[in-house]
Amino acid sequence: MAPPPPQSNRSPSPSQPSGKSEVSDLKLQLRQLAGSRAPGTDDSKRDLFKKVISNMTIGIDVSSLFGEMVMCSATSDIVLKKMCYLYVGNYAKVNPDLALLTINFLQRDCKDQDPMIRGLALRSLCSLRVANLVEYLVGPLGSGLKDNNSYVRTVAVIGVLKLYHISATTCIDADFPETLKHLMLNDQDTQVVANCLSALQEIWTLESTTSEEAARERENLHSKPYVYYFLNRIKEFSEWAQCLVMELVAKYIPSDNSEIFDIMNLLEDRLQHANGAVVLATTKVFLHLTLSMADVHQQVYERIKAPLLTQVSSGSPEQSYAILSHLHLLVMRAPYIFSSDYKHFYCQYNEPSYVKKLKLEMLTAVANESNTYEIVTELCEYAANVDIPIARESIRAVGKIALQQYDVNAIVDRLLQFLEMEKDYVTSEALVLVKDLLRKYPQWSQDCIAVVGNISSNNVQEPKAKAALIWMLGEYSQDMHDAPYVLESLVENWDEEHSAEVRLHLLTAVMKCFFKRPPETQKALGAALAAGLADFHQDVHDRALFYYRLLQYNVSVAESVVNPPKQAVSVFADTQSSEVKDRIFDEFNSLSVVYQKPSYMFTDKEHRGTLEFSDELGNLSINAETGDSVVPAQRVEENDKDLLLSTTEKDDVRDPGSNGSAYNAPSYNGSAPSATSQPLADLAFSSTGATGQAPAPGLAIDDLLGLDFSVGTATTPSPPPLTLNPKAVLDPGTFQQKWRQLPISLSEEYSLSPLGIASLVTPNALLRHMQSHSIQCIASGGQSPNFKFFFFAQKAEEASIYLVECIINTSSAKSQIKIKADDQSSSQAFSTLFQSALSKFGLP
């Protein structure tokens, strides 16, 4: 006989009901205690109320206890009242019928002798937010605004604002704004005054669009009597209220300079306040009042520097970051003011990464001739930091300082030392910076190239770093003995290079090297052009075609286009315009400074976009017989390729075997002749024949580069052999889970055709188009010019899933693509297929 199963010793949690029986038991116990006045009743009610609130918090429906909870609220115990109000407020919002049951006891509590209960009841009554109950709010609010207790008046003022958002007409008809105005100017309690100011600002701002009187009242808030009234009581206000008053004062326009100094003298001691928000609010007032006084404005920077730096070193990392963000804005406007305080921006070992990164930016900004050596020495220490992102940022900071023309000699030596460190990420960042340095300081090429020439391209894996190395190989190939052979080895591994940026740089570098050392590079150039023409990435393909046509036309012209005499770069483009920086400064002491972007860029829907799951995707069916409507590969890029050819060239390359197509892409057979030492100046090429028939274009350049291009059947790069499941299904929950778990396999930028951009006026057209290519859309959103889509696809006969985030900007005709995949080895193949489908969008 089998032994009985072991019984669990665990007892159910008192806050976890085992089922409907537990709720029924609570209901019965509450009913028994409802009318009881026995000693200890309130303690028993507390225990039951705690269970009810706990169950409600974890999502269990206890709305059936509503009547019993209301009956048990007849008590003077404030704790019980608070829990009852919490319960009532939670269920009244979703069930207006239950809310009606609470009106009587809440109105009764609004007249209780205890001011705390009166205030709590009034707050709960206004928090019901049920439109058909607004008539029950007017009376209690009117009484609350006239209550003898300041706490009740404080709650009533905010209650008026809640009433306005529920029913603006009811609030205005009851003349509540005028009552708030009277309280604001006459009440003795500063918290009531501050609440009145906050409520009136919001009400009058919303009403000013339709009411001239409200617009006048809103403007009057910024008048001298109001501003001086608040300033004279500034020390009585709480920290929050002081910030509110400061925001008002910052918008005030003084009549003369003496008034500006009076206000600043009055607020001088606020800079010493322990609260960082008050210090920032006061700083904003000082800066805005003195904008028209250049000398005084500079003195203000000197005055606010010490209080802000003190706030950075005290408080939490979050507060330090907020203060540092504002300091960073000031440093960018007046770096010389903070140049002597650069040590305050040194990173501490225990600081979070986000604080360290901001400090590195500030060290870069304050660097000048007097402190560059100390700052660069400190930054070089960070390069060995165990925190790799911070180490990268420190190396970039050193490069930025070098580009500011401060003590370049010592900095270049430091960067070259980075190249010799045996850390991949250090070498990668240093290569990018050396490239920029050489663009600005070509005189350092000999020293830099001597070190860069010792770096193996096989040890550089990051795309930006590899692109920088390739750029130097092409630009200074005459000084680097192995440059043609390194480039040739890179061309041989063309198919293994997944980054389009690297392939584009490689094409250009081989072209430059060919003009400087033709005998050693001609084979590599031929292979690079052939690989580029066969590349499925649109930009790579177009550049290779452009170079090929350019060489066909005239080699001398090609050299003047690809490798012209260059002037040193004097100034690198700033990522932010001066208008944007001024806009951020105008929004000082707000999230705009922390985000480093104006508020409209993260509040307006036009800029941040919306994301909505597509409800109609399930209704979009794929017709198996719609293959004729899909544009053939030959037609897809025909218009774009025609743009690269002149009218005469189109006629010349037309062939009877091309089915009337104006362009035939050359096909490469992979053969290459031996090197030739024929000088470039002796080469002459012609793309036109002596007869009406189309000749083989550029025979001389084809022979020189080892290309065997035949003008035959028009072919375009074909997608890799990857087949997708046309009936793939993925629910949104699984998509989100996979998106969080999987790493990004590829992140690329694609160009869209003008016809595709024009067709994006109706985003659903793109969804149907991609679905016809077995790529499904699970979510989409946004509005012109920014659209955002989430796609997914499944490999045929396999469970492997591909996830895609596609952000399309119709203004730039660019799409940013992020791909995640279960099988990352096939990510590039799927990326190619996705681009192929996207490039066909909008074509007839």
Side-chain angles (χ1 to χ4, degrees):
M1 185 175 181
Q7 296 183 354
S8 174
N9 295 326
R10 294 175 59 190
S11 59
S13 171
S15 63
Q16 296 277 355
S18 56
K20 293 184 178 179
S21 59
E22 174 106 6
V23 178
S24 301
D25 291 343
L26 288 173
K27 187 171 186 177
L28 180 61
Q29 294 177 52
L30 287 170
R31 186 171 296 176
Q32 290 174 350
L33 294 175
S36 175
R37 297 185 179 276
T41 300
D42 285 350
D43 292 338
S44 301
K45 287 182 179 179
R46 281 192 183 189
D47 293 337
L48 291 176
F49 275 32
K50 287 179 181 178
K51 290 183 180 180
V52 173
I53 297 300
S54 177
N55 294 334
M56 180 184 73
T57 304
I58 62 177
I60 295 175
D61 184 13
V62 288
S63 59
S64 59
L65 307 178
F66 200 92
E68 286 71 18
M69 291 288 289
V70 172
M71 287 189 293
C72 288
S73 65
T75 177
S76 58
D77 191 316
I78 293 182
V79 176
L80 284 175
K81 289 284 187 184
K82 286 184 177 181
M83 286 193 286
C84 183
Y85 295 153
L86 177 62
Y87 173 87
V88 168
N90 182 70
Y91 283 108
K93 294 177 183 177
V94 295
N95 196 331
D97 295 334
L98 293 179
L100 188 60
L101 301 176
T102 67
I103 294 297
N104 288 333
F105 93 89
L106 286 176
Q107 287 184 327
R108 184 177 65 249
D109 286 351
C110 285
K111 301 176 182 178
D112 196 276
Q113 294 181 353
D114 189 338
M116 183 63 68
I117 293 180
R118 293 202 302 273
L120 290 172
L122 184 58
R123 186 178 68 178
S124 300
L125 187 63
C126 296
S127 298
L128 295 180
R129 297 180 184 267
V130 180
N132 58 359
L133 300 180
V134 291
E135 64 267 20
Y136 298 104
L137 303 182
V138 176
L141 278 176
S143 301
L145 292 172
K146 300 175 184 177
D147 200 283
N148 294 328
N149 187 272
S150 60
Y151 171 70
V152 180
R153 296 198 302 275
T154 300
V155 172
V157 171
I158 300 301
V160 170
L161 184 58
K162 293 178 180 178
L163 173 63
Y164 177 81
H165 285 293
I166 299 172
S167 175
T169 305
T170 304
C171 181
I172 301 299
D173 291 344
D175 205 21
F176 280 142
E178 193 63 32
T179 306
L180 294 186
K181 179 180 176 182
H182 176 77
L183 281 176
M184 181 178 68
L185 297 176
N186 298 282
D187 201 291
Q188 297 300 312
D189 188 272
T190 53
Q191 190 60 47
V192 176
V193 174
N195 282 10
C196 288
L197 175 59
S198 177
L200 285 174
Q201 281 183 319
E202 188 166 344
I203 292 173
W204 283 338
T205 298
L206 295 173
E207 282 292 305
S208 62
T209 57
T210 56
S211 170
E212 293 183 2
E213 182 182 356
R216 285 195 301 270
E217 292 288 0
R218 180 190 173 200
E219 291 299 323
N220 287 338
L221 281 177
H222 304 106
S223 63
K224 185 174 181 178
Y226 283 90
V227 171
Y228 274 51
Y229 167 73
F230 291 121
L231 285 175
N232 289 329
R233 302 187 64 178
I234 188 74
K235 296 181 181 179
E236 304 173 23
F237 288 114
S238 65
E239 287 90 348
W240 171 79
Q242 288 184 37
C243 294
L244 192 65
V245 172
M246 299 286 191
E247 193 67 29
L248 184 70
V249 176
K251 298 176 182 178
Y252 173 63
I253 303 177
S255 57
D256 52 32
N257 291 348
S258 62
E259 192 175 352
I260 293 177
F261 289 117
D262 289 342
I263 295 175
M264 293 171 64
N265 290 332
L266 183 63
L267 297 176
E268 174 78 14
D269 61 335
R270 297 297 91 190
L271 289 174
Q272 309 302 325
H273 202 284
N275 188 283
V278 175
V279 175
L280 283 177
T282 309
T283 299
K284 180 176 182 178
V285 173
F286 280 34
L287 291 172
H288 281 235
L289 288 179
T290 59
L291 276 176
S292 60
M293 308 162 65
D295 294 340
V296 179
H297 194 69
Q298 182 175 345
Q299 294 175 18
V300 167
Y301 275 87
E302 294 284 359
R303 178 65 187 87
I304 64 178
K305 180 172 64 174
L308 291 177
L309 291 174
T310 301
Q311 290 291 333
V312 170
S313 58
S314 60
S316 63
E318 293 79 10
Q319 176 180 328
S320 297
Y321 183 78
I323 303 293
L324 275 172
S325 298
H326 288 78
L327 268 173
H328 178 260
L329 178 63
L330 299 178
V331 165
M332 298 303 292
R333 291 175 67 88
Y336 56 90
I337 300 291
F338 299 87
S339 59
S340 60
D341 301 283
Y342 63 90
K343 291 186 178 180
H344 285 89
F345 308 133
Y346 282 179
C347 298
Q348 306 296 324
Y349 76 95
N350 58 346
E351 287 177 333
S353 296
Y354 55 85
V355 173
K356 291 180 179 178
K357 182 178 179 182
L358 192 54
K359 284 189 172 183
L360 290 177
E361 294 179 11
M362 299 179 73
L363 285 172
T364 304
V366 300
N368 58 22
E369 294 89 340
S370 62
N371 59 24
T372 295
Y373 180 80
E374 291 79 5
I375 291 178
V376 171
T377 301
E378 180 73 12
L379 291 174
C380 290
E381 295 294 328
Y382 302 154
N385 198 303
V386 294
D387 188 349
I388 294 179
I390 296 301
R392 289 179 179 271
E393 289 293 337
S394 64
I395 298 172
R396 293 171 192 160
V398 173
K400 290 177 183 177
I401 293 174
L403 296 177
Q404 295 172 358
Q405 297 182 347
Y406 299 135
D407 195 12
V408 179
N409 298 347
I411 298 178
V412 171
D413 292 338
R414 299 291 181 90
L415 287 176
L416 295 181
Q417 290 176 11
F418 289 149
L419 290 175
E420 298 172 351
M421 293 180 64
E422 297 180 356
K423 292 184 178 180
D424 295 341
Y425 61 89
V426 175
T427 303
S428 297
E429 293 295 337
L431 279 173
V432 176
L433 293 177
V434 168
K435 181 198 76 172
D436 290 338
L437 280 175
L438 290 178
R439 292 174 62 197
K440 188 166 186 176
Y441 308 114
Q443 65 271 22
W444 284 95
S445 60
Q446 295 296 331
D447 296 322
C448 294
I449 294 306
V451 178
V452 172
N454 297 325
I455 299 176
S456 172
S457 60
N458 296 327
N459 297 332
V460 182
Q461 300 299 326
E462 297 184 17
K464 286 187 178 297
K466 184 175 286 188
L469 177 60
I470 291 172
W471 179 87
M472 286 183 275
L473 287 171
E475 193 70 23
Y476 298 98
S477 55
Q478 73 277 11
D479 300 324
M480 303 175 71
H481 176 71
D482 295 333
Y485 312 107
V486 175
L487 290 173
E488 185 175 0
S489 66
L490 289 169
V491 172
E492 290 174 354
N493 297 320
W494 182 280
D495 294 335
E496 299 177 9
E497 183 53 63
H498 300 308
S499 171
E501 179 185 11
V502 173
R503 300 200 297 275
L504 286 168
H505 275 79
L506 185 55
L507 271 173
T508 304
V510 174
M511 281 284 287
K512 290 179 180 179
C513 188
F514 174 69
F515 293 125
K516 297 171 183 177
R517 299 167 69 173
E520 300 166 275
T521 316
Q522 61 185 37
K523 180 179 177 181
L525 178 58
L529 289 176
L533 288 167
D535 198 294
F536 199 74
H537 192 282
Q538 187 70 47
D539 294 339
V540 177
H541 175 78
D542 288 353
R543 183 173 295 187
L545 180 64
F546 172 68
Y547 286 163
Y548 176 70
R549 291 296 186 189
L550 202 56
L551 289 170
Q552 273 189 316
Y553 175 71
N554 189 292
V555 172
S556 299
V557 173
E559 183 176 11
S560 65
V561 171
V562 179
N563 194 36
K566 296 181 179 64
Q567 294 182 350
V569 178
S570 58
V571 179
F572 285 86
D574 196 348
T575 55
Q576 280 188 339
S577 64
S578 57
E579 292 81 3
V580 170
K581 293 178 180 178
D582 291 341
R583 181 71 176 269
I584 296 174
F585 181 76
D586 291 339
E587 297 175 356
F588 195 87
N589 194 25
S590 70
L591 283 176
S592 298
V593 181
V594 178
Y595 290 162
Q596 296 185 13
K597 59 180 66 174
S599 58
Y600 71 86
M601 297 184 70
F602 57 86
T603 56
D604 292 355
K605 290 183 178 180
E606 179 181 353
H607 291 86
R608 62 183 172 86
T610 57
L611 183 63
E612 298 175 355
F613 284 99
S614 178
D615 295 326
E616 62 173 339
L617 291 178
N619 301 324
L620 297 178
S621 59
I622 303 176
N623 187 354
E625 299 179 0
T626 58
D628 294 337
S629 64
V630 179
V631 182
Q634 177 181 335
R635 292 281 306 282
V636 170
E637 298 172 331
E638 181 178 319
N639 293 334
D640 292 339
K641 290 172 180 174
D642 285 348
L643 297 176
L644 299 174
L645 304 174
S646 66
T647 305
T648 56
E649 286 175 318
K650 293 179 185 178
D651 295 335
D652 291 337
V653 299
R654 191 180 299 274
D655 185 82
S658 64
N659 297 324
S661 174
Y663 168 72
N664 289 293
S667 58
Y668 178 58
N669 72 350
S671 62
S674 59
T676 176
S677 58
Q678 184 178 4
L680 292 176
D682 297 338
L683 296 177
F685 308 112
S686 173
S687 61
T688 59
T691 64
Q693 297 181 349
L699 294 176
I701 193 66
D702 292 350
D703 292 340
L704 177 67
L705 300 180
L707 300 174
D708 182 14
F709 287 156
S710 59
V711 186
T713 305
T715 59
T716 55
S718 58
L722 176 66
T723 307
L724 300 178
N725 180 5
K727 298 182 179 179
V729 177
L730 189 67
D731 63 272
T734 305
F735 183 98
Q736 293 178 357
Q737 182 180 6
K738 281 181 170 290
W739 187 263
R740 286 193 295 266
Q741 293 176 349
L742 293 173
I744 296 176
S745 302
L746 286 174
S747 180
E748 297 182 330
E749 182 179 85
Y750 298 155
S751 299
L752 273 71
S753 67
L755 293 176
I757 294 298
S759 303
L760 202 58
V761 176
T762 55
N764 285 337
L766 177 61
L767 308 189
R768 296 186 179 92
H769 171 79
M770 299 303 287
Q771 196 172 38
S772 69
H773 290 78
S774 303
I775 300 174
Q776 319 294 333
C777 179
I778 197 169
S780 62
Q783 54 187 347
S784 183
N786 296 310
F787 294 94
K788 189 172 186 178
F789 303 91
F790 283 98
F791 296 101
F792 72 91
Q794 182 181 17
K795 189 184 295 187
E797 301 180 357
E798 292 186 31
S800 180
I801 296 292
Y802 303 97
L803 309 179
V804 184
E805 179 192 72
C806 177
I807 301 176
I808 298 177
N809 185 286
T810 54
S811 299
S812 62
K814 297 287 186 180
S815 61
Q816 300 286 340
I817 307 296
K818 292 182 181 178
I819 297 177
K820 300 185 177 184
D822 290 334
D823 179 15
Q824 296 193 30
S825 62
S826 60
S827 297
Q828 184 62 44
F830 174 75
S831 172
T832 304
L833 192 150
F834 185 90
Q835 183 195 359
S836 173
L838 196 61
S839 66
K840 294 179 174 67
F841 177 57
L843 295 178

